[in-house]
């Protein structure tokens, strides 16, 4: 039986030749995702302007931030156009705020987002008993969810959520994974090679590492 | 529905060493914070709150060390201590921390909370309120003056901008470090305000009492969990047993 270290080495070898990127515009927690990828044996590249996207195969859009601030910086750096163009060929994984920015519209900034996924982002308080959803929750598949990156068969697997805004289930034709709450919010979503997760895989222990590995294993 | 209480160990750090204290004094060394974070990572801790007392004294954020702590943790990290300027706020988040905890008793810190919320989102900001109970009165404790004030807890909560933050951490200063058990009376006391923020209780945690947490959640939907000093995990070799209890609770 191979040890975890051997498996990680094998994993590192399997990702050789791929250029992994993390969007860094000064908003968002990139150190958490950096640390998680380093533990997987991967040294990612920072993407701070559209030119940095050249050669990137898999791109992370990290979480933690305010949508208004994020979109202002994207537009200033012309990364909004760059990311829309990148999504045609490369793989994108948006995390938390990075997931919400993939949609068409957010009430947080009262304005448009990247529009790579159909739907809009609304305050969590519209549905929940609390203003912020914080904690570790399971997820469950609905409709035709068939993503390869987030498993839903094991009901004991939990992911860490912390967010004040959310994407309601049922407003989009894309594949959706619902958070294991009494209220229907989207936990994960994918459309083509654009993936998003409302939870934080980089803060979700082994179950989160599995999501990162699965995403990085995607290839054309 | 699988709502569970969050168990958040609190690491008190001075000069890059971890301590526990009783009523904020009588600090006792308990270990190297990086080792403790590693152990908590191995035990799949929910979250950890880092309180850096040195930063409060020195007036600067030990951003290099915070980055080191981040690099070994694969769970959310919150930070409190010494944050006085917008630059300090940026340094905490740039180091990779997920949440900033600010004291609610200082008006200038409320301004910082607004700055942090506008830049990093409401989910990344928490307010900490220290209180003391005297019979039916719940009054604010001023951590800077180290004295119990006459300000009513309800009055303070009713004027705070709670829409720009996520968690409210309510610390009972009388029972901090005393292992007398979490006091849930404060939840009844503030219930009339209709607060929608997740509420964390701190001070006096004696054990990870599963039935107690379940009963609190059933009564108060905003109850989110407890913050505990590391003493509950580290003293008297209770570290392992406490986390076993936590995993049993989760399972």
């Amino acid at each position: 039986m191979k040890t975890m270290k051997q498996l990680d080495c094998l994993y590192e070898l399997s990702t050789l030749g791929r250029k992994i990127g993390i969007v860094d515009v000064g908003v968002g927690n990139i150190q958490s995702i950096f640390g998680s990828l380093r533990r997987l044996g991967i040294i990612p590249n920072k993407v701070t302007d559209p030119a940095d996207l050249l050669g990137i195969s898999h791109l992370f859009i990290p979480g933690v931030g305010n949508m208004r601030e994020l979109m202002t910086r994207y537009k200033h750096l012309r990364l909004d156009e760059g990311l829309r163009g990148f999504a045609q060929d490369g793989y994108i994984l948006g995390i938390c705020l990075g997931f919400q920015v993939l949609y068409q519209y957010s009430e947080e900034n009262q304005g448009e987002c990247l529009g790579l996924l159909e739907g809009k982002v609304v305050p969590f308080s519209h549905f929940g008993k609390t203003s912020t959803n914080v904690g570790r929750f399971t997820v469950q598949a609905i409709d035709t969810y068939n993503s390869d990156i987030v498993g839903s068969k094991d009901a004991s697997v939990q992911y860490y959520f912390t967010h004040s805004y959310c994407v309601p289930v049922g407003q989009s034709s894309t594949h959706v994974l619902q958070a294991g709450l009494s209220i229907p919010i989207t936990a994960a979503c994918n459309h083509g090679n654009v993936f998003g997760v409302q939870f934080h895989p980089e803060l979700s222990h082994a179950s989160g590492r599995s999501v990162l590995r699965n995403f990085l294993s995607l290839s054309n | 529905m699988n709502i569970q209480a969050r168990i958040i160990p609190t690491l008190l750090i001075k000069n890059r060493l971890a301590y526990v204290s009783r009523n904020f004094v009588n600090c006792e060394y308990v270990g190297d914070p990086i080792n403790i974070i590693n152990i908590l990572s191995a035990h799949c801790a929910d979250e950890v709150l880092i309180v850096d007392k040195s930063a409060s004294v020195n007036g600067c954020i030990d951003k290099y060390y915070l980055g080191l702590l981040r690099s070994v943790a694969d769970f959310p990290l919150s930070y409190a201590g010494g944050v006085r300027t917008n630059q300090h706020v940026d340094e905490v988040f740039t180091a990779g921390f997920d949440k900033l905890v600010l004291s609610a008793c200082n008006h200038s810190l409320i301004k910082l909370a607004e700055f942090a919320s506008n830049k990093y989102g409401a989910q990344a900001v928490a307010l900490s309120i220290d209180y003391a109970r005297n019979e039916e009165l719940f009054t604010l404790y001023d951590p800077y003056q180290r004295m119990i004030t006459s300000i009513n807890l309800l009055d303070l909560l009713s004027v705070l901008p709670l829409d720009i933050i996520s968690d409210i951490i309510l610390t009972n200063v009388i029972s901090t470090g005393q292992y007398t058990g979490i006091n849930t009376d404060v939840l009844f006391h503030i219930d009339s305000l209709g607060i929608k923020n997740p509420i964390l209780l701190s001070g006096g945690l004696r054990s990870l009492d599963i039935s107690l947490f379940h009963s609190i959640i059933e009564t108060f939907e905003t109850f989110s969990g407890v913050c505990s000093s590391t003493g509950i995990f580290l003293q008297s070799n209770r570290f392992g047993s406490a986390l076993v209890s936590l995993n049993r609770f989760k399972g």
Side-chain angles (χ1 to χ4, degrees):
Chain A
M1 178 179 278
K2 292 183 175 65
T3 65
M4 282 304 294
K5 194 169 183 181
Q6 286 172 316
L7 286 172
D8 279 346
C9 288
L10 284 173
Y11 182 75
E12 185 178 2
L13 286 171
S14 71
T15 57
L16 280 177
R18 292 184 185 175
K19 196 173 170 186
I20 314 299
I22 299 179
V23 177
D24 178 18
V25 292
V27 176
N29 188 344
I30 68 162
Q31 293 305 327
S32 297
I33 189 74
F34 249 97
S36 290
L37 292 176
R38 279 198 205 102
R39 283 191 282 274
L40 290 175
I42 294 165
I43 306 298
N45 301 271
K46 286 185 184 178
V47 172
T48 57
D49 66 52
D52 294 335
L53 290 166
L54 195 64
I56 298 282
S57 61
H58 294 68
L59 182 68
F60 291 90
I61 305 179
V64 183
N66 179 288
M67 185 68 81
R68 180 177 288 108
E69 186 77 19
L70 183 68
M71 282 307 296
T72 300
R73 295 192 184 207
Y74 277 2
K75 285 176 180 172
H76 177 70
L77 297 166
R78 304 190 71 175
L79 259 174
D80 53 339
E81 296 169 18
L83 290 172
R84 289 185 189 110
F86 177 83
Q88 294 176 8
D89 299 315
Y91 290 101
I92 289 180
L93 176 60
I95 297 170
C96 195
L97 180 70
F99 156 70
Q100 294 172 2
V101 79
L102 298 174
Y103 284 86
Q104 294 165 312
Y105 180 88
S106 172
E107 290 191 15
E108 187 173 13
N109 64 330
Q110 301 285 320
E112 67 166 14
C113 302
L114 293 178
L116 296 172
L117 295 174
E118 185 184 334
K120 77 172 185 178
V121 182
V122 301
F124 181 76
S125 57
H126 284 190
F127 303 93
K129 295 281 195 280
T130 56
S131 56
T132 309
N133 182 35
V134 196
R136 296 182 185 275
F137 305 105
T138 56
V139 295
Q140 59 198 47
I142 58 171
D143 299 334
T144 56
Y145 180 80
N146 64 352
S147 167
D148 292 327
I149 73 163
V150 186
S152 62
K153 291 176 182 173
D154 186 352
S156 67
V157 173
Q158 294 182 323
Y159 302 98
Y160 179 76
F161 291 74
T162 175
H163 55 107
S164 301
Y165 285 78
C166 66
V167 179
V169 166
Q171 61 170 8
S172 161
S173 60
T174 48
H175 307 304
V176 162
L177 199 62
Q178 181 176 321
L181 299 165
S182 59
I183 48 175
I185 65 162
T186 305
C189 190
N190 78 282
H191 182 70
N193 48 351
V194 176
F195 296 79
V197 286
Q198 180 60 75
F199 56 84
H200 289 265
E202 78 279 19
L203 304 174
S204 299
H205 309 304
S207 51
R209 284 194 291 276
S210 173
V211 171
L212 298 177
R213 278 200 182 94
N214 291 340
F215 173 69
L216 292 170
S217 300
L218 294 170
S219 61
N220 293 317
Chain B
M1 189 161 143
N2 59 349
I3 300 296
Q4 295 182 347
R6 295 147 64 199
I7 313 296
I8 306 176
T10 304
L11 269 185
L12 176 64
I13 292 179
K14 286 170 69 177
N15 299 321
R16 300 185 175 180
L17 300 173
Y19 293 84
V20 291
S21 71
R22 289 188 178 219
N23 299 112
F24 308 111
V25 292
N26 301 328
C27 288
E28 182 183 345
Y29 171 72
V30 289
D32 172 32
I34 289 181
N35 281 344
I36 293 170
I37 294 285
N38 267 320
I39 293 168
L40 289 169
S41 282
H43 284 86
C44 298
D46 283 343
E47 305 170 44
V48 168
L49 168 61
I50 304 288
V51 181
D52 190 350
K53 300 297 282 184
S54 305
S56 303
V57 174
N58 301 334
C60 62
I61 306 298
D62 192 353
K63 52 191 178 187
Y64 172 75
Y65 194 65
L66 296 189
L68 280 182
L69 294 173
R70 171 76 275 169
S71 69
V72 296
D74 64 351
F75 47 74
L77 285 175
S78 302
Y79 177 83
V83 175
R84 295 287 178 273
T85 65
N86 291 354
Q87 184 185 341
H88 288 162
V89 172
D90 286 335
E91 286 173 352
V92 170
F93 286 106
T94 303
F97 276 60
D98 304 281
K99 191 173 291 181
L100 178 64
V101 180
L102 296 165
S103 172
C105 76
N106 186 325
H107 183 68
S108 63
L109 296 187
I110 300 298
K111 291 286 182 190
L112 282 184
E114 289 175 8
F115 167 78
S117 180
N118 287 335
K119 188 166 183 179
Y120 299 101
Q123 87 295 331
V125 187
L127 285 182
S128 169
I129 302 174
D130 297 341
Y131 73 92
R133 183 184 180 185
N134 182 7
E135 295 182 348
E136 295 307 309
L137 270 180
F138 291 76
T139 52
L140 188 66
Y141 175 83
D142 187 336
Y144 301 101
Q145 304 293 330
R146 293 189 175 181
M147 57 180 282
I148 297 170
T149 71
S150 59
I151 300 171
N152 190 300
L153 180 63
L154 288 179
D155 292 341
L156 176 73
L157 283 168
S158 61
V159 298
L160 288 175
L162 300 181
D163 55 326
I164 63 161
I165 64 157
S166 59
D167 299 323
I168 300 172
I169 303 174
L170 296 175
T171 301
N172 184 344
V173 296
I174 303 297
S175 53
T176 295
Q178 300 293 334
Y179 308 119
T180 51
I182 284 286
N183 188 331
T184 57
D185 290 349
V186 68
L187 294 173
F188 288 97
H189 187 67
I190 65 172
D191 195 37
S192 61
L193 293 176
I195 291 171
K196 294 191 79 175
N197 302 68
I199 293 174
L200 296 163
L201 296 182
S202 177
L205 183 66
R206 183 171 53 194
S207 67
L208 298 173
D209 188 337
I210 301 167
S211 57
L212 172 65
F213 293 147
H214 278 304
S215 64
I216 300 174
I217 289 173
E218 283 173 9
T219 310
F220 299 99
E221 289 171 320
T222 54
F223 173 69
S224 189
V226 291
C227 289
S228 80
S229 75
T230 49
I232 188 68
F233 299 97
L234 298 174
Q235 287 188 331
S236 307
N237 198 26
R238 293 163 78 183
F239 184 80
S241 59
L243 285 167
V244 169
S245 300
L246 170 60
N247 288 333
R248 195 180 301 138
F249 170 57
K250 282 178 164 182

